[in-house]
Amino acid sequence: MTAATHSPLFPQVPAVPDSADAVLEGLDPEQREVATALRGPVCVLAGAGTGKTRAITHRIAYGVRSGILQPASVLAVTFTNRAAGEMRGRLRQLGAQGVQARTFHSAALRQLQYFWPKAVGGSLPRLVDRKIQLVADAAAGLGTRLDRGELRDVTGEIEWCKVTQTIPADYPYAAAKAGREAPRDPTEIAHLYAAYEDLKRDRSVIDFEDVLLLTVAVLQDRQDIAEQVRAQYQHFVVDEYQDVSPLQQRLLDLWLGDREDLCVVGDASQTIYSFTGATPDHLLDFRARHPGATVVKLVRDYRSTPQVVRLANGLLAQAHGRAADHRLELVSQRPSGPEPGYTEYTDEPAEAEGAARRIRELIDAGVPAAEIAVLFRTNSQSETYEQALADAGVPYQLRGAERFFDRPEVRKAGLALRGAARFGGNDSRLDDVVDLPSQVRAVLSGEGGWTIQPPAGSGAVRERWESLTALVNLAQDLAAARPGATLADFVAELDERAAAQHAPTVQGVTLASLHAAKGLEWDAVFLVGVAEGMLPITYARTDEQIEEERRLLYVGVTRARERLHVSWSLSRSPGGRHNRRPSRFLDGLRPGTTPTVGRSAGSVGGVERGIRGVDATAVPRRAQRTPARCRVCGRTLTDAGEMKLMRCEDCPSDMDEGLYERLREWRAVQAANSGQPDFCVFTDRTLMAIAENRPDSPAELSRIPGVLSRKLRSYGAEVLAICAGQELDGEIAVD
């Protein structure tokens, strides 16, 4: 068996296993199945706290140590630099050096930088770290004023468009189809998106989504480069597979080619990023795409007590939808603990004060502040809790705000420490201090104004102090782990952590949104604001959006190891009307409420063997996507608009102009009859594609991108009649 462990900043490094078989020691039966399933497609369905990272790192290490896998031929991809860094560290400890563990973007950027001179020529355009300023400049160029919140939201919409391969002209329809709550008029966002893309081209820069798009384009257009990449990487592991976007899946397919040496790991019940374009469909459809796949289910929960696990299972037992149909029933492997607590408060300040008071009691009882978290639905809720914790004398840190090493005070401290490491002999502040922690405290006290005692109150001053204190604590931990470490060693440690975005742990209570808490865990978790209108959030209206809110609460619950406290308030401010009620997700789970009709139990742990040794044509399987090529010049198409027309933008068009105008007139009538914008009937691109192809049958019409089955039923007969030159009698009926 394996137990959940909490690693200090500089843990004692265990001895490297002395053999391949020794790598398997300590794994439970299902984890061992993962580790030894080294051939063919493998799908690991891993519930929260079930040791998925342990299973897949031991799988890679066992394959390398047994000689079945060559380290340089393995590419493991995940979604954060920290997760990739943790994976590399674990592989080193298991004796599997040389394996590439990267994020999708990091792996793609590395390939793009290497192959760009060969594929395109010249240097790769400059990569912008943050696109928000470019979006602001694009808006200014259009004369559009965006406040800070709108700027952030519009930037998010542009990112969603790019990972779902939606062009500006198609945004209004795509957003409506996906049920997105557009921050501005959809047509206005489409114009902003187009202006943003034009501005990037004018400035010769690319963004992070372009890294994936351009890598896809190179691999599709240059078969020789694709083959070179496939010769390098022959075995792939993808973590958090439920968060893969259509664009990332497209890149993964190109990396794989026609091979199936792929291991994916995920949990559909932890899909909480659909607003960014992530979808669990790739995980849930894995068996259909790969009939020979081995499926291993990890359900032994080593993180949480039976009481916490019971609440988590209860939340999913009331879920609906496709992800819920594949839920996993967790089984706690830990000793019994306290029951989750539920508290109702009159207003939000009272709720924050109540949480701060309980946290103060836990700290006084010996629970480290760093092992406590307050989790909420939106970042705007944090201010009330910052003030309440500060008033209670409780240190805290904000997670999901500005990245630690990007903070001004941390950058300034880094420069001061680097200067002291280089010229410390001439610094009078260091004359009487010899050990590393004292040196760091002396430098930060002089340059950064750090003090031993925290400042009163909350806000920016307190955050600044917490950042510098984290550096002081890091120096203490480094000195304890490496006696004799120098200031130069400490600066090197900071540089390495900054490169990997591996921030030191601030010795305070963590304040974080539920989204930012994904992948983390604490001894004690306070889930606050669990009320209707916040969980589920007000703008979650569709069944799919409601279910994602339920999964978000599930993620929050499963962050707790031992203690879990759930609270809500009846009004926003003191004296306000008590018009709130606890979240519907708690019905039947908290004391005094009536249980709802639950679903059948979820999947239990185990292994499902794939179909081996059979004719692949006998098994239903999703067709692999083939590259779209221009029907005029034959070049591979990557732009969504060009793919819709099936030709390059610059290639000559054989469109029937008269037919196109008749289709536009017909569309205007349709839009007027249905009371919706023209593009909701068909976009201009789709009408152009129809006018160029001139289909004469429903089958030909259905092959044109943008003509979905619903539109084929509603408009197909009329469109075909127009294409055939027939006059339409009367107005078109709308489905």
Side-chain angles (χ1 to χ4, degrees):
M1 300 293 177
T2 178
T5 58
H6 180 64
S7 301
L9 288 173
F10 297 97
Q12 295 297 316
V13 178
V16 175
D18 58 10
S19 66
D21 289 340
V23 172
L24 302 178
E25 293 177 2
L27 300 181
D28 69 29
E30 291 78 29
Q31 291 172 343
R32 183 178 286 256
E33 286 285 350
V34 175
T36 55
L38 296 174
R39 293 299 187 193
V42 177
C43 179
V44 183
L45 302 177
T50 57
K52 67 178 179 66
T53 305
R54 178 181 176 86
I56 59 176
T57 52
H58 281 68
R59 178 182 189 270
I60 295 171
Y62 178 69
V64 169
R65 298 291 299 276
S66 62
I68 298 174
L69 302 177
Q70 295 302 312
S73 72
V74 180
L75 177 59
V77 288
T78 185
F79 283 81
T80 66
N81 287 318
R82 182 156 195 166
E86 179 186 356
M87 190 176 292
R88 287 193 296 270
R90 292 200 189 193
L91 289 170
R92 281 196 301 269
Q93 292 173 11
L94 293 170
Q97 296 91 340
V99 173
Q100 291 293 317
R102 298 180 174 274
T103 64
F104 269 101
H105 285 88
S106 172
L109 180 59
R110 193 165 184 245
Q111 293 174 18
L112 197 60
Q113 288 171 330
Y114 182 81
F115 289 113
W116 186 267
K118 179 179 180 180
V120 181
S123 301
L124 182 69
R126 181 175 64 86
L127 176 64
V128 292
D129 288 334
R130 301 178 67 220
K131 60 174 66 64
I132 198 163
Q133 185 57 54
L134 275 174
V135 175
D137 292 347
L142 294 176
T144 301
R145 295 177 62 93
L146 298 176
D147 62 33
R148 187 173 180 179
E150 288 177 321
L151 189 59
R152 183 185 63 247
D153 292 342
V154 169
T155 302
E157 290 303 286
I158 290 175
E159 291 174 348
W160 175 81
C161 286
K162 300 190 77 166
V163 300
T164 56
Q165 301 167 79
T166 301
I167 63 172
D170 288 348
Y171 170 76
Y173 171 73
K177 181 181 178 183
R180 296 185 71 80
E181 193 80 13
R184 303 275 290 217
D185 179 84
T187 303
E188 188 176 11
I189 292 178
H191 291 320
L192 284 168
Y193 177 17
Y196 167 78
E197 291 296 314
D198 290 340
L199 189 60
K200 281 200 296 99
R201 282 191 289 271
D202 292 343
R203 296 183 180 180
S204 297
V205 297
I206 59 175
D207 60 28
F208 276 99
E209 288 71 40
D210 290 329
V211 170
L212 300 184
L213 285 163
L214 291 170
T215 305
V216 165
V218 168
L219 295 178
Q220 282 189 166
D221 211 35
R222 292 291 298 269
Q223 186 66 22
D224 57 331
I225 293 177
E227 291 302 327
Q228 191 173 341
V229 171
R230 292 166 192 162
Q232 169 70 49
Y233 297 116
Q234 299 166 16
H235 192 92
F236 297 85
V237 177
V238 184
D239 194 12
E240 302 289 0
Y241 194 56
Q242 77 279 350
D243 292 331
V244 167
S245 70
L247 180 56
Q248 289 165 332
Q249 180 63 47
R250 192 172 174 191
L251 177 58
L252 180 61
D253 288 340
L254 287 165
W255 282 340
L256 276 167
D258 57 1
R259 301 166 300 172
E260 291 197 318
D261 278 329
L262 170 66
C263 174
V264 301
V265 190
D267 179 12
S269 296
Q270 295 188 69
T271 305
I272 59 173
Y273 296 110
S274 66
F275 63 92
T276 68
T279 170
D281 288 346
H282 305 299
L283 176 67
L284 299 178
D285 291 339
F286 192 82
R287 197 67 176 275
R289 290 169 59 92
H290 304 278
T294 296
V295 178
V296 184
K297 298 176 182 178
L298 304 182
V299 298
R300 302 173 197 250
D301 188 323
Y302 298 98
R303 176 188 298 157
S304 305
T305 63
Q307 288 78 8
V308 173
V309 167
R310 188 180 306 121
L311 176 58
N313 286 336
L315 276 172
L316 293 188
Q318 301 177 12
H320 301 279
R322 193 173 180 217
D325 292 338
H326 294 79
R327 69 187 181 90
L328 300 168
E329 188 86 9
L330 299 177
V331 181
S332 175
Q333 307 296 299
R334 297 198 58 183
S336 183
E339 290 288 340
Y342 301 88
T343 306
E344 182 173 275
Y345 293 92
T346 56
D347 52 66
E348 287 184 9
E351 185 179 4
E353 291 168 8
R357 184 171 57 252
R358 289 173 181 267
I359 289 171
R360 180 77 265 174
E361 293 170 356
L362 287 176
I363 294 174
D364 292 342
V367 179
E371 290 299 336
I372 304 172
V374 178
L375 306 182
F376 32 75
R377 176 60 181 84
T378 66
N379 287 319
S380 62
Q381 295 170 266
S382 72
E383 185 178 356
T384 304
Y385 290 89
E386 291 177 57
Q387 187 62 58
L389 290 173
D391 291 345
V394 175
Y396 66 87
Q397 63 167 324
L398 277 172
R399 185 173 181 87
E402 187 177 28
R403 295 192 300 185
F404 182 83
F405 290 102
D406 290 340
R407 297 175 186 174
E409 66 271 18
V410 174
R411 292 201 301 269
K412 183 179 178 182
L415 290 173
L417 290 166
R418 186 170 285 104
R422 187 175 302 170
F423 307 111
N426 300 320
D427 193 331
S428 60
R429 292 171 301 182
L430 303 182
D431 287 346
D432 300 325
V433 293
V434 292
D435 63 286
L436 175 61
S438 297
Q439 291 176 332
V440 171
R441 283 194 291 268
V443 172
L444 297 184
S445 297
E447 291 290 336
W450 178 81
T451 59
I452 295 177
Q453 295 299 322
S458 61
V461 174
R462 182 60 178 255
E463 286 183 42
R464 182 175 175 276
W465 183 86
E466 297 284 4
S467 297
L468 297 180
T469 301
L471 296 177
V472 172
N473 293 334
L474 182 64
Q476 293 172 342
D477 288 331
L478 179 60
R482 304 179 202 165
T486 65
L487 200 54
D489 295 329
F490 182 67
V491 170
E493 174 70 23
L494 290 180
D495 289 343
E496 184 177 337
R497 285 172 173 267
Q501 283 301 321
H502 183 189
T505 300
V506 175
Q507 296 303 310
V509 172
T510 299
L511 294 175
S513 70
L514 288 167
H515 284 100
K518 177 87 162 49
L520 303 175
E521 58 186 81
W522 297 269
D523 284 344
V525 169
F526 288 75
L527 291 174
V528 299
V530 188
E532 286 292 306
M534 194 58 72
L535 261 174
I537 198 77
T538 304
Y539 53 75
R541 298 188 179 94
T542 68
D543 291 343
E544 292 83 1
Q545 291 168 339
I546 295 294
E547 288 306 313
E548 180 143 339
E549 294 289 301
R550 187 194 306 276
R551 293 194 296 270
L552 197 55
L553 181 57
Y554 171 79
V555 166
V557 168
T558 54
R559 300 309 95 193
R561 297 194 194 100
E562 297 179 7
R563 297 177 178 87
L564 178 65
H565 195 88
V566 183
S567 64
W568 59 91
S569 56
L570 298 176
S571 66
R572 180 177 181 180
S573 54
R577 180 180 300 175
H578 291 183
N579 57 359
R580 293 179 174 177
R581 73 175 188 87
S583 169
R584 71 191 76 172
F585 299 145
L586 300 178
D587 291 348
L589 300 176
R590 61 187 178 91
T593 58
T594 304
T596 57
V597 178
R599 301 167 59 86
S600 59
S603 297
V604 297
V607 182
E608 298 174 11
R609 303 294 178 189
I611 302 172
R612 306 282 184 178
V614 298
D615 182 359
T617 60
V619 183
R621 182 172 180 175
R622 179 173 293 186
Q624 297 288 327
R625 177 182 292 182
T626 57
R629 299 191 181 278
C630 174
R631 54 191 170 83
V632 180
C633 70
R635 183 181 71 84
T636 300
L637 302 176
T638 57
D639 179 80
E642 293 181 341
M643 292 170 69
K644 182 169 286 189
L645 294 175
M646 291 306 293
R647 64 171 174 82
C648 302
E649 190 76 41
D650 298 333
C651 283
S653 168
D654 55 355
M655 182 178 70
D656 184 328
E657 297 286 351
L659 174 57
Y660 178 65
E661 289 304 319
R662 290 196 299 276
L663 288 169
R664 283 173 56 87
E665 293 171 2
W666 164 84
R667 183 182 64 176
V669 173
Q670 280 290 298
N673 288 344
S674 60
Q676 58 186 349
D678 288 357
F679 63 79
C680 288
V681 180
F682 283 122
T683 65
D684 286 344
R685 291 269 188 171
T686 300
L687 293 187
M688 290 173 65
I690 293 172
E692 288 187 357
N693 287 275
R694 294 182 290 277
D696 59 10
S697 70
E700 289 186 8
L701 180 59
S702 67
R703 284 195 286 270
I704 294 176
V707 182
L708 306 177
S709 57
R710 178 180 62 82
K711 294 194 175 187
L712 186 64
R713 291 194 304 270
S714 301
Y715 309 129
E718 308 296 340
V719 170
L720 290 173
I722 295 171
C723 290
Q726 300 175 14
E727 293 294 330
L728 300 181
D729 296 326
E731 295 185 339
I732 312 299
V734 179
D735 189 26

